[in-house]
Structure formats: structure tokens, C-alpha cells
Amino acid sequence: MILNLLDTLQVAGEEIRHSMILAWLLDREETHAQDNLGFSLFLKHLKNTGLNIKYADTQYWVLREKRGSESRIDLEVAARGKFIIHIENKIYSDEICSDDGNHQTRREWRDLQHRARELGVQPANVHGLYLTLDGHQATNPEKFRAISWQQIADVLDDFSAQAQAKPVSLFAAHYADVLRQMTFEMTQIYENEN
């Protein structure tokens, strides 16, 4: 068992806390003072999802809890006229299905399309990502590509190795270890259930 600061703070299962850390990693304006390093590494590690590494060279922003007309997305990373990425983060939960049977990522995709038109982003540069501990697919897999927190841990490892500030490096390395432990524990639960 590794030291897990999130467990100590009793917030390991709170999706919003993980979204906050992911936003911190991706946002060039954040306290890590590493400019676009985190976002560049994120794009590099997830290039198989259709993301373009050149997005990191734009004047992008990172927003949390962005409301649309039908949904609220955990993270938005975007640059007007260039690209938009919406990330739906799930830790120990699955998609929410409304009373009419409309799944969360379907509603979020409609909001993402509307937001892309607002920002003048071409369809090829509109991306939905569904982030879970085990990387399972969304109910809308053709629109929201599945990614795992293990992939984010890999990004954090590279970020830790390249960060110029020791406290930032240590934090990123610790959080990567925490994510791997959480992923391992979830795998053990699934194996014991089957």
C-alpha cells in the first residue's frame, strides 16, 4: 500500500477533485508554472484518439464544470476557431441516464456540437473523451473516445520527469502512483466479483 494523500483527505472517490488535478495539469496558467508542458504531454500520449499535438501551441483555455443546455461537462479545453475537447470524468461511477433513457454522453455530445459552433471550431477538431479508471467505453463510443486514468498516470510520469520545479515534480509523481493504486484496486474488485 502506498501513501495516498487523497485517501488521507478522504476525497479519493470524488470526481471533482480528480477533475481539478487534471485541469491543473493541462492549464498553462496554473500554479505549476510549466506553461503548456502538461497539455503537450497529454496530447502526445493520447494522439490515437485524434488529438493534434499542435493544439498545445494555441491560446487555449481550460474550464471545469462547463454548463451546456442539456448537461455539464467536467472539463473543457478549447481555443476559439481551433479546437475543443470535452472530458467526462468518471471515477467509481458510470454514465447517468435521464428518465427518458437519454444517456449522459449523448446529451453532452449535443452540447459539445453547439459549443463548437459557438467557437467556430471545425468538426474534425471537436473531441469528446470519456475518462474512467479502467478505460471502458461510453454509451456513445463513436462520439466520446474512451481513455483511462492509467494513461493520465503515464502523462504525469513524463510531466514529473520534465517539470522544472521539484515540488511540482513530486506532486505529479505521487498523483500518478495514486492513480495506479486506484486502478489496481478497481481491477481487484472486478476480478473478485467474477
Side-chain angles (χ1 to χ4, degrees), residues 27-59:
D27 194 342
R28 68 173 3 123
E29 303 296 324
E30 266 294 349
T31 58
H32 55 62
Q34 304 303 305
D35 196 42
N36 67 352
L37 176 63
F39 189 44
S40 294
L41 293 169
F42 175 86
L43 296 169
K44 178 183 169 191
H45 279 267
L46 298 173
K47 63 183 173 195
N48 65 333
T49 63
L51 299 176
N52 187 329
I53 189 72
K54 293 180 181 176
Y55 293 165
D57 298 329
T58 66
Q59 290 302 309

Side-chain angles (χ1 to χ4, degrees), residues 1-189:
M1 184 67 132
I2 64 166
L3 168 67
N4 182 338
L5 185 57
L6 298 179
D7 276 343
T8 303
L9 296 171
Q10 298 181 353
V11 296
E14 295 183 24
E15 290 172 0
I16 195 164
R17 303 299 174 219
H18 295 278
S19 293
M20 291 169 74
I21 296 172
L22 183 57
W24 171 86
L25 174 70
L26 301 179
D27 194 342
R28 68 173 3 123
E29 303 296 324
E30 266 294 349
T31 58
H32 55 62
Q34 304 303 305
D35 196 42
N36 67 352
L37 176 63
F39 189 44
S40 294
L41 293 169
F42 175 86
L43 296 169
K44 178 183 169 191
H45 279 267
L46 298 173
K47 63 183 173 195
N48 65 333
T49 63
L51 299 176
N52 187 329
I53 189 72
K54 293 180 181 176
Y55 293 165
D57 298 329
T58 66
Q59 290 302 309
Y60 68 91
W61 61 80
V62 178
L63 300 175
R64 287 187 307 103
E65 302 295 314
K66 177 68 178 147
R67 285 205 172 273
S69 62
E70 295 185 66
S71 65
R72 183 180 68 232
I73 195 71
D74 294 313
L75 285 175
E76 175 181 281
V77 186
R80 184 173 295 281
K82 303 291 185 186
F83 74 91
I84 186 168
I85 303 167
H86 276 188
I87 303 171
E88 178 55 39
N89 171 26
K90 296 294 182 188
I91 296 296
Y92 295 120
S93 63
D94 285 318
E95 277 188 71
I96 299 167
C97 186
S98 60
D99 292 338
D100 63 0
N102 204 349
H103 288 275
Q104 187 174 7
T105 55
R106 287 192 178 101
R107 295 188 311 270
E108 289 172 347
W109 183 255
R110 288 190 295 269
D111 281 343
L112 175 55
Q113 296 300 299
H114 177 76
R115 181 79 167 136
R117 285 190 299 275
E118 259 179 26
L119 298 174
V121 175
Q122 296 299 312
N125 299 323
V126 176
H127 310 277
L129 300 176
Y130 187 67
L131 174 60
T132 63
L133 283 173
D134 62 354
H136 69 269
Q137 291 189 346
T139 56
N140 192 11
E142 65 281 359
K143 305 297 184 189
F144 272 77
R145 302 284 304 267
I147 62 172
S148 72
W149 277 103
Q150 174 63 49
Q151 291 171 288
I152 303 304
D154 293 342
V155 172
L156 285 157
D157 283 339
D158 282 356
F159 183 77
S160 174
Q162 295 178 43
Q164 299 299 309
K166 186 153 179 87
V168 169
S169 177
L170 289 172
F171 175 77
H174 175 72
Y175 187 56
D177 288 343
V178 166
L179 291 174
R180 286 192 180 90
Q181 182 66 32
M182 290 173 67
T183 301
F184 175 78
E185 289 168 0
M186 176 164 266
T187 302
Q188 295 301 303
I189 290 168

